[in-house]
Amino acid sequence: MTDFEHLSAELNDLLCVLNLLNWDARTQMPPGGSVTRAQQAATLSRLAQEKLLSPAFERAARDALQARPGDHAAGQALAAAAALRRVPAPLTGALAALKGEAQDAWASAKARSDFGAFAPYLERMVQLSRDLAGALGYEDHPYDALLNLYEPGLTTAQLTPLFDRLRAHHVPLLRAIGQRPEPRSDFLTRAYPVAEQRAFSLGLAQAFGYDLSRGRLDESAHPFEISFTRQDVRITTRYQESFLPGALFGTLHETGHALYEQGVSPELTRTALASDLLGLYAVGGASFGTHESQSRLWENRVGRAQAFWTRHYPALRAHFPEQLADVTADEFYRAVNRVRPTLIRVEADELTYDLHIMLRVHLETRLISGDLSVRDLPDAWNARMKTDLGLDVPDDARGVLQDIHWSTGYFGSFPTYTVGNVMAAQFYQAAQAALPDLDADLAAGTYAPLRAWLTEQIYRHGRTFTPHELLVRVTGQGLDETPYLTYLTDKFSTLYGLG
Amino acid sequence: MTDFEHLSAELNDLLCVLNLLNWDARTQMPPGGSVTRAQQAATLSRLAQEKLLSPAFERAARDALQARPGDHAAGQALAAAAALRRVPAPLTGALAALKGEAQDAWASAKARSDFGAFAPYLERMVQLSRDLAGALGYEDHPYDALLNLYEPGLTTAQLTPLFDRLRAHHVPLLRAIGQRPEPRSDFLTRAYPVAEQRAFSLGLAQAFGYDLSRGRLDESAHPFEISFTRQDVRITTRYQESFLPGALFGTLHETGHALYEQGVSPELTRTALASDLLGLYAVGGASFGTHESQSRLWENRVGRAQAFWTRHYPALRAHFPEQLADVTADEFYRAVNRVRPTLIRVEADELTYDLHIMLRVHLETRLISGDLSVRDLPDAWNARMKTDLGLDVPDDARGVLQDIHWSTGYFGSFPTYTVGNVMAAQFYQAAQAALPDLDADLAAGTYAPLRAWLTEQIYRHGRTFTPHELLVRVTGQGLDETPYLTYLTDKFSTLYGLG
């Protein structure tokens, strides 16, 4: 082991332990532990930052770069350290302090649907985030600096026209769907016992290739995937007895994330370092968007396909014989692909989800650039919700106050959800070209060839390549929405019998 | 916060996180995570040691001592740092390396009942432990240095005559019991569904005062209690469907440990530092023996008393109406207090458990002093098992190879189990004197007064006093076996109708 490898391994250990503190807090910890747990996490976080910023680490990383010019891990570590150094300590402190206050203010404002009570905190958070962007540095748009914390290399100049094209596609498609009769979906809200939901979902996760000797499934208020090296990759889901698709597709989604982390090459164990605006963390994948591309690919491209339900519906019906007695496989497939605008992002379907994301990105880029004031935010939200989704927002709790993200200062992370959808379609198209038997395999419930191909092409590389490098290696080109739009048009035209 | 308080808090955070890594590994972690988890624990452990040994920490502790002469926390921290510094790095490294190898060798030797295969590792472990004792320093007996890692201030010169007196009491009492008819206990091995065992045991733990808003109960191969500050104190147990007392009394035992940790004064949060021969750890109580005194007090003095089962047996029978249909409360009480020599320590009853412990302590003190060679250990074990428990040892797997302790180098920890029993009786006698209504309370299933008294007298002080100081404060004298022997004689004379 070189000095750099040794120090990186230590740093990665600390970040994995931070992940464990987080997982435990969200799935196991008794409520009384929250204050001391936060102190423990703060101490570990500080130690990790000290390590990254230490002269010994910088020297070791420079030696590694000299020994192997272009060494990706060393380059990334130096860049992360440089970025951390550029942010003045008072700003980091102010952001951390505001985060706690703003979250509390947001929660109480949301409970009372009172945007005015949250506005001063959001104004301050926008200001500090602009300061952060300035400290981090950017060439063109201050939003770039924040976006790159989650999606290295992507620019607002690239993102804005991409999202314009998506929107120009999605809105008319949604309107056309709205003219067609809704598929039947009454049966999705019958009573589905949680233990059976869990058994069926976990069975599918294992069929996809999720390795339970290196993972486990728990419950949490919001589903997530988290890893402590590739050897221990855990997922959670949330069960609602009276809504079957929630835990089911939630589990498939997190399984996609988990397959990525479990598929990272063993040689990369203890090397992964990543950072965002509030610190460092350990994650095996190339970026948030790349990660999301895999959760979406397994959830939507595999798990919401007609062939999938032709194959697995009999097993589902065996778990729930009474609840699904009067439902055919085709009816089930149509129900879980139903498109219906909703006010709430986390309840949105595959098509309208992007519209929720693009609404937020449109607004937050303008908040950060200064083209939109916090005062005008609710009206802007409500206006776009009307034009894009056709919905009137009855109150801010179900509108601009619905997400926690802005109260935590996570400006720049929303785009990665939709970027992930776009990438997923590109990767899936490449998989189709490379695997002539893919359709037959999926129809037979055989997922190993697809997983092996994705592992070889994407997962094993971990963070070795940037998202753009990875896309070009695997698909021959950079971010391109064509395959995604073709997929959506084909799928929903068939489902809804559109011209 | 002074510098010392701040640095202690950071160090305590690291130690609590190490405890969490340990808890997770033993209750939640998928098997694939073990290697990387060990690396994470090693990194945290090293960071904690570095912090303790840093000049900044020493300076801060000395400043704290100067500002408040006699400050216990600063004194303990300096003593722990000084002890760590006295152990040469090559010795620490050799011990850590041997520990892994010796554990593997022990596990495989035990599986084949082949002491010869383990003997070379044990010889080396004894030698390194003697080296460690020499490095740590001692006045009289090398075993003192090891014993004091678990029980500060206790000496072999004190322990040996104490254990001689206990043995002189226990062996004849056991022999007398052996002449009497055995109580009925057939019903203990009927089928008791685990979910009901859990519900009943946890109900008792809560009745004792275990606060689930700051705790939780899980399963593990070996029951344990572990804490991450007083705000998060977790216990585990092991369920066997066909042996009711295992999980039941195991839960009460760990609850006793948990009440101690949960009862530490809030001002002491993030101050607790402790060390043993292999590193540092966070624990709230004064010593291993003091801790054990509380697990034993709640398990045996409270939980195995006749009044306890008079009170709780109807509820137990409501959980298991069929299994206990033909059993009276008195029969149940007698069954769970049955005395019957067994080869295996962890299956031993209240009386013979001490004989198992004292056998080990007798042998390990002589191993460390050099008066007994590893080669002669099995014969010495078997001879004493015959004289004390009247049992012939059929093979080393059920004899000298049964415990993991010696393979890990934990010489000096065994005495604390029996010392805990002795202390428990002293503390309980003081509680009886201080609480005139104690018997009535316990008969009524009212545990708050006893818990409050123990909290006031013992728990809240955390590690502020040495075990001896604590004993003297609470009972007026040092370690004294009289109350323990009186209790055992009274209890078993009545149960078995002895002279």
Side-chain angles (χ1 to χ4, degrees), chain B residues 148-166:
Chain B
N148 286 342
L149 296 167
Y150 308 96
E151 205 58 28
L154 192 62
T155 64
T156 313
Q158 224 180 325
L159 193 64
T160 304
L162 173 73
F163 278 14
D164 285 345
R165 293 191 296 273
L166 289 183

Side-chain angles (χ1 to χ4, degrees), chain B residues 411-462:
Chain B
F411 295 101
S413 72
F414 274 128
T416 64
Y417 294 107
T418 288
V419 166
N421 280 333
V422 171
M423 285 186 184
Q426 292 182 264
F427 288 135
Y428 195 81
Q429 191 182 53
Q432 287 176 308
L435 302 170
D437 297 332
L438 181 59
D439 286 345
D441 284 341
L442 296 186
T446 301
Y447 304 103
L450 175 60
R451 193 186 70 253
W453 184 85
L454 291 166
T455 301
E456 174 64 24
Q457 298 292 319
I458 302 171
Y459 305 165
R460 72 183 176 94
H461 299 301

